[in-house]
Amino acid sequence: MDNNYDLILHGGNCVSHDGISRSDIALRDGRIVGIGDYARAKAANFMNVRGLHVLPGIIDSQVHFREPGAEHNEDLESGSRAAVLGGVTSVFEMPNTRPTTTSTQALDDKLDRASNRMWCDHAFFVGADKENIDSLSTLERHFGCCGIKLFMGSSTGDLLVDDDEDIFRVLKNGQRRIAVHSEDENRLRERRSIAMETGDVHAHAQWRDVETAVSSTRRLLRAARATGRRVHVLHVTTAEEMRLLADEKTLATVEVTPQHLTLASPSCYDMLGTLAQMNPPIRDKAHQEALWQGVREGIVDVLGSDHAPHSRKDKDKDYPSSPSGMPGVQTLLPLMLEHVAAGKLTIMRLVDLLCTGPARVFGIASKGRIAVGYDGDVTIVDLNSKRRIEESWLASKCGWSPFSGFEVRGWPVATIVRGRVCMREGELLGNPSGEPVRFQESLTPLSVR
Ligand code: DOR
């Protein structure tokens, strides 16, 4: 047996395509090079992970870190630091950030800013807007781009393509799966007075009601069928959409968020006020149960945190001037491990939703599995660790979490990105050296490593 390894993870319970089995994992040059018995092999570093579970690196395919300026209290460094502290090895950042990512130049700017500052691997969505529709098929193949994001309803920022004719043009211009914020802008405009008149965040899910989400998703699926374009419907929140999407698995993949699976109205607004305000909104228990059913039935493909921090000062504004969004990249895994402990899903299904799922949906090259030849991205968790989510643990500059004080069973204890241990027992190690994620649909001779 070759005994020249950079790192051996010894004795952990490896959660892979093969089930859960006790095996060592050998890493070299940033990749997984062996799975089996490496107890006697020699390696530069040896980590005893007995009693722990070894997962493929967690991929959060929806975050908003935002730069430059501090107006949103987050940047690529702090957001990615939060990611690795929470066991996340790769993130995909949304385009309604700074600069708004709608051009090659903006994408290159993001990649430059990320270099030597991001702790985890990363990719960036390009936002569709009315000006760049004809360039989308070129933009989506740019190095470091995870695909196109379409806002059918407005949220934070001003990205919006809301009429059917333009939506069709967006879907016709490109090949890759397109990620969509699905809320109906016309209905949002018509009903905005509901939010304005009450001035109470409890009205958020009435303003942005079930029909707002359902009518948009119906229109989107019609356009997807007519154009043959694959779509990824982000943060699905309603029972009705889950049924529509179950009938469209040829074309459509589905994301839900941990917060929609964990919080419900009206109690979330009673407890958290505008901290629970996000788009699409947190809805009642019946919808939450439908999302869980979607998880159980396999309709849901991925979980994304939709990490979108806003400062407390902004959140303290009177509703609806208060911004929508909440942080989540660091709590994504601990929270979902608590759901595993509570029996809501298995650890295998969690790996499917956070590792294999994103890799399949976005066509990630060599991530998402613990398999020989794949990137050495590994998240190690202690399923027996009982912890409280403390604000002092959070790296996000906004300094708050809707899950502060939550008790969870299960905790990330090490984050390994391409063979480098960058978090161990809550401590950051080394320097930020995240790299752009590569995608099968946009590989070039230069990006094949
Ligand atoms: O609540 C939200 N906030 N939903 C989104 O889709 C965007 C996000 C943000 O960017 O703040």
Side-chain angles (χ1 to χ4, degrees), residues 314-326:
D314 284 343
K315 280 291 200 180
D316 282 344
K317 290 179 183 162
D318 290 336
Y319 179 81
S321 304
S322 45
S324 291
M326 56 179 78

Side-chain angles (χ1 to χ4, degrees), residues 62 64 66 96 149 151 155-156 181 235 277-280 306 308 310 324-325:
Q62 188 181 182
H64 308 71
R66 300 200 177 95
N96 59 330
K149 161 86 179 273
F151 280 89
S155 192
T156 305
H181 180 119
H235 37 43
Q277 177 190 335
M278 70 167 293
N279 305 327
D306 195 8
H310 295 275
S324 291

Side-chain angles (χ1 to χ4, degrees), residues 382-388 407-411:
D382 182 355
L383 296 185
N384 296 315
S385 173
K386 285 191 183 149
R387 291 277 297 261
R388 183 190 293 272
E407 304 261 2
V408 296
R409 290 166 287 174
W411 197 259

